[in-house]
Amino acid sequence: MKLANRILYGLIVGIIIGLLLHTVRETAFVKNLVTYFISPVGEAFIRAIRMLVVPLVLASLVLGTASLGDLRKVGRIGGKIMSFYLVTTAIAIILGITLTVIFQPGLHADVPREGEFVGRAAPPIMTTILEMIPINPFDALARGAMLQIIVFAVLVGVGIAAVGDPAKPLLNVFEGLNGVMLRLTTLVMQVAPYGVAALIARTVIQVGPAILVSLAMFIFVVYLGLIIHLVVVYGGIAKFFGGLSLIEMLKRCSPAMLVAFSTASSAATLPVTLHCGEKNLGIKKEIGAFTLPLGATVNMDGTALYQGVSVVFLAQLLGVDLTFNQMLTVVVSATLASIGTAGVPGAGMIMLAMVLESVGMPVTAIGIIMGIDRIVDMGRTAMNVTGDLACTLAVARSEKAVDMPAKIPTAL
Ligand code: ASP
């Protein structure tokens, strides 16, 4: 059976168990079952995922920036495409946060706070900025201080690109580390169905059916945000920079969007994305071949939007009041997290850990939305890929490198 289906069944089984046991949650039997079986299974799964976050963020960000190091060579185009990518990503996060504040999907249920978590007051903004620079990067890695790790990783990537050949062995090390961590992610995901079942069962046992309403609202808000972003931001880019109506652009991008939706992986969709860019949108190869793989690696508006929604949603569930400064921190850290997210299923959820930590929220909260991740992953991945194509079209047109066929070629 496909992993996605197994996770879905895990979710359903977990919900059923949760609903059955919710009414008898005070009995000694259920309490013991939760303490000695259900909780540890869920906890073990989350710990295994957390184990991968620090090395994965380090390796993928170093690689991402090292490949961006070529920016000088491709200076103008690189600068333009990165501006488009970053601005659209930041808009996506702000949109996600705003919608979640308006719709308050997390206020339908009360999740008991984890014992260890005490809401932290946000430090003054200057301190936050200064503290982004690690005094000792190894200490930052050991403590899992995400912002410091990101700053260090970006600088190492820039350094590797600047040094060139002599730094090649180091680059290889990070490539190896990245590959191994991604493989381990796949491995850990094999036990995801059990982890997901245990996590959702525990939550439903403790909170009751109300949590399901909240989760449904969460999915609704994510998809609403994705659609608004598509219509307003990509529609606007298509119209004003691409000389194309939104509908026409969607028709031409639809093969990539559908593959992205069904695979939940922008990396796996890349061949189709390249095809749509070149054949359907008529973007010259030299531009698309540079900006689309770059976009598949660093530009993830859908993921960023989802991360914005998730942080505010989980804060609402846990009864944490996020200050304005903390929301700004979320915009910055989710931008960076989405850049560091690998284009594979579920990666955005793993990187969410880093966004939560940036505002002092418990990473274990991810367990609450883990079971439904695939449902939102499909939508956000489709949007990630559409964003790459829309921005590439805009930049290519400004370079006069678009020769759009009047009719969409039929063959894929
Ligand atoms: N699945 C997404 C992608 O490949 C990444 C994510 O999990 O958000 O684009």
Side-chain angles (χ1 to χ4, degrees):
M1 211 194 296
K2 282 221 197 88
L3 181 62
N5 291 345
R6 287 175 49 218
I7 294 182
L8 199 64
Y9 289 132
L11 177 72
I12 295 170
V13 170
I15 290 178
I16 294 173
I17 294 176
L19 288 175
L20 289 176
L21 297 183
H22 174 65
T23 41
V24 285
R25 64 188 179 284
E26 295 303 337
T27 58
F29 171 73
V30 174
K31 278 187 171 161
N32 283 334
L33 190 70
V34 170
T35 315
Y36 294 107
F37 183 67
I38 298 180
S39 272
V41 171
E43 208 67 32
F45 176 57
I46 295 211
R47 289 186 72 103
I49 284 197
R50 288 184 69 180
M51 169 180 82
L52 305 173
V53 173
V54 167
L56 196 59
V57 170
L58 177 71
S60 70
L61 269 182
V62 168
L63 290 181
T65 19
S67 67
L68 278 188
D70 289 350
L71 265 188
R72 274 211 202 102
K73 263 192 255 150
V74 263
R76 203 179 54 233
I77 299 171
K80 274 192 211 170
I81 196 73
M82 280 313 287
S83 317
F84 267 102
Y85 283 167
L86 287 177
V87 170
T88 50
T89 301
I91 295 177
I93 303 167
I94 294 169
L95 176 64
I97 292 179
T98 311
L99 287 177
T100 318
V101 169
I102 294 174
F103 284 94
Q104 310 207 313
L107 293 191
H108 297 274
D110 261 332
V111 174
R113 289 188 188 190
E114 301 282 328
E116 94 241 29
F117 176 60
V118 201
R120 237 196 266 156
I125 189 89
M126 231 31 231
T127 318
T128 313
I129 294 174
L130 267 182
E131 280 183 356
M132 286 173 72
I133 307 170
I135 304 176
N136 175 350
F138 296 99
D139 173 56
L141 287 168
R143 281 184 298 117
M146 283 304 163
L147 284 176
Q148 299 193 343
I149 295 174
I150 289 167
V151 170
F152 181 65
V154 167
L155 290 176
V156 171
V158 169
I160 288 179
V163 169
D165 265 351
K168 200 79 213 254
L170 186 59
L171 188 65
N172 291 342
V173 168
F174 283 113
E175 249 156 23
L177 183 64
N178 196 46
V180 172
M181 287 305 133
L182 285 179
R183 177 57 68 82
L184 289 187
T185 306
T186 321
L187 202 71
V188 171
M189 288 315 275
Q190 292 305 313
V191 295
Y194 307 100
V196 161
L199 289 166
I200 193 83
R202 183 180 66 176
T203 312
V204 177
I205 290 171
Q206 287 169 348
V207 187
I211 189 74
L212 300 178
V213 179
S214 274
L215 285 175
M217 280 290 286
F218 170 77
I219 297 173
F220 166 76
V221 172
V222 170
Y223 272 90
L224 181 69
L226 292 175
I227 290 170
I228 295 178
H229 193 68
L230 176 77
V231 172
V232 178
V233 178
Y234 301 152
I237 292 180
K239 185 119 219 109
F240 296 112
F241 297 97
L244 200 70
S245 75
L246 175 67
I247 303 285
E248 189 58 28
M249 188 187 78
L250 293 185
K251 274 194 203 152
R252 290 172 190 261
C253 296
S254 60
M257 293 176 77
L258 288 174
V259 174
F261 189 80
S262 49
T263 59
S265 164
S266 356
T269 309
L270 187 58
V272 189
T273 315
L274 287 166
H275 171 94
C276 288
E278 197 187 328
K279 297 282 181 314
N280 296 3
L281 291 169
I283 295 165
K284 287 243 165 73
K285 204 176 186 150
E286 63 265 26
I287 296 206
F290 163 55
T291 59
L292 291 174
L294 179 68
T297 321
V298 303
N299 182 44
M300 304 211 175
D301 295 0
T303 301
L305 186 140
Y306 147 87
Q307 288 170 341
V309 174
S310 301
V311 171
V312 181
F313 170 72
L314 292 173
Q316 289 169 352
L317 273 181
L318 297 171
V320 178
D321 272 328
L322 291 178
T323 63
F324 185 71
N325 272 353
Q326 283 176 312
M327 295 207 188
L328 281 185
T329 310
V330 171
V331 176
V332 177
S333 58
T335 303
L336 293 166
S338 72
I339 291 176
T341 300
V344 295
M349 181 190 70
I350 295 176
M351 297 299 277
L352 180 61
M354 152 184 160
V355 189
L356 287 171
E357 274 181 349
S358 74
V359 286
M361 281 177 58
V363 173
T364 43
I366 295 179
I368 298 169
I369 49 173
M370 198 167 265
I372 47 138
D373 187 62
R374 184 69 179 205
I375 302 172
V376 281
D377 196 0
M378 301 196 304
R380 67 184 191 242
T381 308
M383 217 48 58
N384 290 345
V385 167
T386 315
D388 300 340
L389 282 164
C391 295
T392 294
L393 175 66
V395 171
R397 196 146 179 271
S398 78
E399 295 286 322
K400 304 207 172 14
V402 181
D403 183 13
M404 205 178 297
K407 271 187 53 197
I408 306 170
T410 38
L412 186 65

